[in-house]
Amino acid sequence: GAGVSQSPRYKVAKRGQDVALRCDPISGHVSLFWYQQALGQGPEFLTYFQNEAQLDKSGLPSDRFFAERPEGSVSTLKIQRTQQEDSAVYLCASTSVGLRGGYGYTFGSGTRLTVV
Amino acid sequence: QQQVKQSPQSLIVQKGGISIINCAYENTAFDYFPWYQQFPGKGPALLIAIRPDVSEKKEGRFTISFNKSAKQFSLHIMDSQPGDSATYFCAASTGANNLFFGTGTRLTVIP
């Protein structure tokens, strides 16, 4: 597609519910990133994929967070047993560059998760 | 620990004025310094970027000034327009590292 597509745009979850957030990167983009953006803050790194391999998951805040990209294209970020502190915008970015230093990132519009 | 410190938090500028946003970093290994623009409900979009081998880069009304010895860089928006009203983020990285963002500056340009 023309850009990075994320769905859903908005998600309201009850505390304790599991959620799945989807990212469709630009076709052919090798690298895919997930970032978490709290209200009024800058995006913070969660995890990085190069093709289907998850090369870095050091930013995932707890073992309730899980990400996958099984075929090297679409990625899903799953959050189990959601907590109020998980409320944020979750951004996905992709790039054709096989480095993770921010070169050529295209971000999606994000999924705004609200845990009530 | 905030890898990149950004100021001010918010900025109000008259149309036609100059907007200046400042950032500072500590990690001397950083070699890529982009600025992102974010409108409400949208993801950040790359505006302009610089590498530390140059002290200034200009693209249209947007200029990055880079001071390697002071570990500071800034974004200047000349002839600011109401359409420039957005949140601006500085960021820094190396090729092998993730992109670290500042906390953002909300710019409002009043007509």
Side-chain angles (χ1 to χ4, degrees):
Chain A
V4 177
S5 178
Q6 292 188 246
S7 61
R9 286 298 317 275
Y10 305 93
K11 176 69 178 178
V12 178
K14 290 185 178 179
R15 191 160 59 107
Q17 187 179 353
D18 296 350
V19 299
L21 312 180
R22 177 185 169 106
C23 172
D24 277 277
I26 293 173
S27 178
H29 274 195
V30 169
S31 299
L32 184 146
F33 308 81
W34 284 97
Y35 280 78
Q36 181 189 59
Q37 187 173 21
L39 188 64
Q41 299 296 314
E44 292 193 357
F45 170 79
L46 292 177
T47 187
Y48 161 57
F49 289 87
Q50 190 173 105
N51 296 306
E52 68 279 2
Q54 188 175 23
L55 299 186
D56 187 351
K57 55 182 180 179
S58 63
L60 296 176
S62 77
D63 58 8
R64 297 185 295 103
F65 286 71
F66 172 76
E68 60 183 5
R69 193 185 185 199
E71 296 178 358
S73 55
V74 171
S75 177
T76 303
L77 176 67
K78 297 179 180 178
I79 308 173
Q80 297 177 325
R81 304 181 304 280
T82 52
Q83 304 294 315
Q84 282 193 318
E85 62 262 28
D86 300 335
S87 295
V89 174
Y90 290 86
L91 294 165
C92 176
S94 71
T95 176
S96 60
V97 178
L99 293 172
R100 54 180 170 171
Y103 316 116
Y105 276 25
T106 300
F107 280 90
S109 293
T111 294
R112 180 177 294 277
L113 173 65
T114 303
V115 181
V116 297
Chain B
Q1 181 187 4
Q2 193 71 32
Q3 296 268 357
V4 182
K5 295 182 180 179
Q6 183 172 348
S7 63
Q9 192 173 16
S10 62
L11 183 61
I12 300 174
V13 173
Q14 290 272 3
K15 179 183 174 182
I18 303 173
S19 304
I20 302 174
I21 304 170
N22 301 299
C23 284
Y25 64 97
E26 285 299 324
N27 187 348
T28 55
F30 286 150
D31 62 1
Y32 178 68
F33 301 89
W35 284 89
Y36 281 82
Q37 180 188 56
Q38 185 175 31
F39 292 104
K42 300 293 186 183
L46 179 65
L47 195 59
I48 186 173
I50 197 168
R51 293 194 182 272
D53 52 346
V54 296
S55 60
E56 185 175 283
K57 183 173 181 180
K58 184 176 181 179
E59 289 184 2
R61 297 184 293 109
F62 301 92
T63 299
I64 299 179
S65 296
F66 186 84
N67 186 330
K68 187 173 181 178
S69 61
K71 293 185 284 187
Q72 295 175 347
F73 59 111
S74 60
L75 176 69
H76 296 233
I77 306 174
M78 312 300 287
D79 187 26
S80 299
Q81 299 297 312
D84 297 332
S85 297
T87 300
Y88 292 81
F89 293 95
C90 60
S93 76
T94 69
N97 262 333
N98 307 310
L99 195 57
F100 294 97
F101 285 84
T103 50
T105 297
R106 177 175 287 187
L107 172 66
T108 304
V109 181
I110 52 178

